[in-house]
Amino acid sequence: MYEVSDSATSVKRRVTLDDVAKVAHVATSTASRALNRPGRINAETEALVRQVATDLGYERPENFWLRTHSVTQKIGVTIVPEKYRLLAAIQEKLYLEHYLPVLYPAVTVQALRTIKQEFNNVDGLIIDNPQIPGRVRLEIPSTQPLVVTNCLIDEATCVVPDTEQGVALMLTHLRSLRHISITYFYAKDSWLDESVLQALRSGCEQTGLTLHAVGNVGDSLESGCRAVSSWRKHLDSAVVFCGALSAIGFMQELDRSLKVAVPDDVSVVAIGDAFTGHLLQTRTTTLEVPDRKIGVEAVRQLVSQIRHRSRCENRAKLVSMRLVNGDTTGFF
């Protein structure tokens, strides 16, 4: 026998599988098998779990969502204006799927609070907010259709660049030019920057390249200029920036203050938007973050969640990167 506590029956929030398992004194995995895969556990335990679920008012997440939400044909999007290529791709794909995008402010606390309050007015949500740390637990119910495009987290389907594949391309290119050492400049509060760092460490260790990593370098012309002093400590033959603007600022400062030539004296690679790398007469070699492909895939994944909620599962979708060869890398 089991006993349902007053607190369990008076809770107004949605009853979860964890709640059922706790009251039935079984593991959550056991409760899941009892409710979703009949015949996988002994009949007595299965009957107990089903009775507890009935008494607590448990219902499948997809059924709860359908019962408590009305279809609006609107999708919430939280994104910074600077990610215009990603935003354009999301909007275009949403229009093709007959959805209207609703933009939310891209500020951590305000965005999450607004999303939590307004989610009943949209059918799903796409988040690309660089101010949201990569491991933060999103303050919205995990049963809601959700896709995240700026980091990998356990609570949602994520569409992100395949940094391991992209970094491997970049290292192959630099090694073909006989480079033996790299300085990597990155910002520590970005999932992309940290993911690239991990891939660089692994790749350099495997290929015998020397890596010097310098954190807390934002993507701006000023940050790139300041990075010159850090680079001078090791004078590595190749420099990689997680950001196109900082790469440009670095090259401008090299020419202005040190008269160091790119790529004759040092090679420079930017990770980011290849279009920004064309702002100068000298085209920057860029490991391109495929924002348009990410935007299209994010919408595809979200629409699939909305239309097939019974098959929803959190997963990571990696989008291949490409190396756009410019004029800033050469033989060492």
Side-chain angles (χ1 to χ4, degrees), residues 68-83:
T68 58
H69 291 71
S70 58
V71 176
T72 66
Q73 292 301 120
K74 297 178 182 179
I75 298 296
V77 181
T78 176
I79 190 171
V80 292
E82 292 81 5
K83 301 291 284 292

Side-chain angles (χ1 to χ4, degrees), residues 2-25 51-59:
Y2 68 91
E3 187 174 320
V4 180
S5 68
D6 293 337
S7 61
T9 56
S10 63
V11 171
K12 294 184 179 180
R13 64 176 176 81
R14 181 177 70 84
V15 176
T16 68
L17 197 60
D18 289 336
D19 297 326
V20 175
K22 184 176 181 180
V23 174
H25 302 291
Q51 185 60 51
V52 170
T54 299
D55 292 347
L56 291 181
Y58 171 79
E59 58 184 318

Side-chain angles (χ1 to χ4, degrees), residues 162-175 179-187 191-215 236 238-243 269-271 287 321 323:
D162 189 343
T163 53
E164 186 173 341
Q165 167 266 338
V167 168
L169 275 180
M170 181 179 65
L171 291 180
T172 298
H173 174 67
L174 292 176
R175 288 198 68 200
H179 289 281
I180 58 175
S181 60
I182 299 171
T183 299
Y184 173 55
F185 292 99
Y186 68 105
W191 173 87
L192 175 64
D193 296 43
E194 292 284 353
S195 181
V196 168
L197 176 59
Q198 293 178 14
L200 273 172
R201 283 173 173 164
S202 176
C204 288
E205 183 178 353
Q206 293 174 11
T207 58
L209 292 170
T210 299
L211 174 66
H212 298 108
V214 181
D236 292 322
V239 178
V240 176
F241 281 89
C242 209
V269 179
I271 300 175
L287 181 59
M321 306 176 76
L323 186 68

Side-chain angles (χ1 to χ4, degrees), residues 227-284:
V228 170
S229 60
S230 297
W231 170 74
R232 293 183 67 184
K233 295 178 182 178
H234 303 286
L235 296 177
D236 292 322
S237 61
V239 178
V240 176
F241 281 89
C242 209
L245 289 177
S246 52
I248 292 173
F250 177 79
M251 291 185 289
Q252 290 177 333
E253 182 65 14
L254 281 181
D255 180 64
R256 185 187 67 82
S257 63
L258 301 180
K259 303 304 178 184
V260 171
V262 176
D264 295 338
D265 300 318
V266 59
S267 289
V268 176
V269 179
I271 300 175
D273 183 6
F275 177 79
T276 305
H278 293 170
L279 294 178
L280 297 180
Q281 186 173 1
T282 301
R283 295 177 305 158
T284 307

Side-chain angles (χ1 to χ4, degrees), residues 261-319:
V262 176
D264 295 338
D265 300 318
V266 59
S267 289
V268 176
V269 179
I271 300 175
D273 183 6
F275 177 79
T276 305
H278 293 170
L279 294 178
L280 297 180
Q281 186 173 1
T282 301
R283 295 177 305 158
T284 307
T285 298
T286 305
L287 181 59
E288 186 177 46
V289 176
D291 280 335
R292 290 197 62 85
K293 290 182 179 179
I294 290 173
V296 170
E297 183 61 30
V299 174
R300 184 182 294 118
Q301 292 290 331
L302 189 67
V303 171
S304 177
Q305 288 183 31
I306 294 171
R307 293 175 180 172
H308 309 287
R309 293 191 181 90
S310 62
R311 301 203 302 266
C312 282
E313 59 179 16
N314 295 342
R315 54 184 172 175
K317 179 68 176 179
L318 303 180
V319 181

Side-chain angles (χ1 to χ4, degrees), residues 128-140:
D128 186 287
N129 183 355
Q131 298 183 46
I132 298 177
R135 299 305 308 170
V136 73
R137 184 172 182 85
L138 298 174
E139 297 178 9
I140 54 180

Side-chain angles (χ1 to χ4, degrees), residues 66-121:
L66 286 171
R67 182 173 59 78
T68 58
H69 291 71
S70 58
V71 176
T72 66
Q73 292 301 120
K74 297 178 182 179
I75 298 296
V77 181
T78 176
I79 190 171
V80 292
E82 292 81 5
K83 301 291 284 292
Y84 61 93
R85 287 179 175 269
L86 177 62
L87 178 58
I90 290 173
Q91 289 178 318
E92 290 170 11
K93 183 62 175 175
L94 284 176
Y95 292 144
L96 289 175
E97 297 288 348
H98 307 292
Y99 285 93
L100 180 67
V102 178
L103 298 183
Y104 291 120
V107 179
T108 307
V109 177
Q110 183 180 356
L112 291 177
R113 185 182 298 120
T114 302
I115 292 164
K116 195 172 182 180
Q117 293 173 347
E118 299 293 328
F119 194 85
N120 284 342
N121 298 325

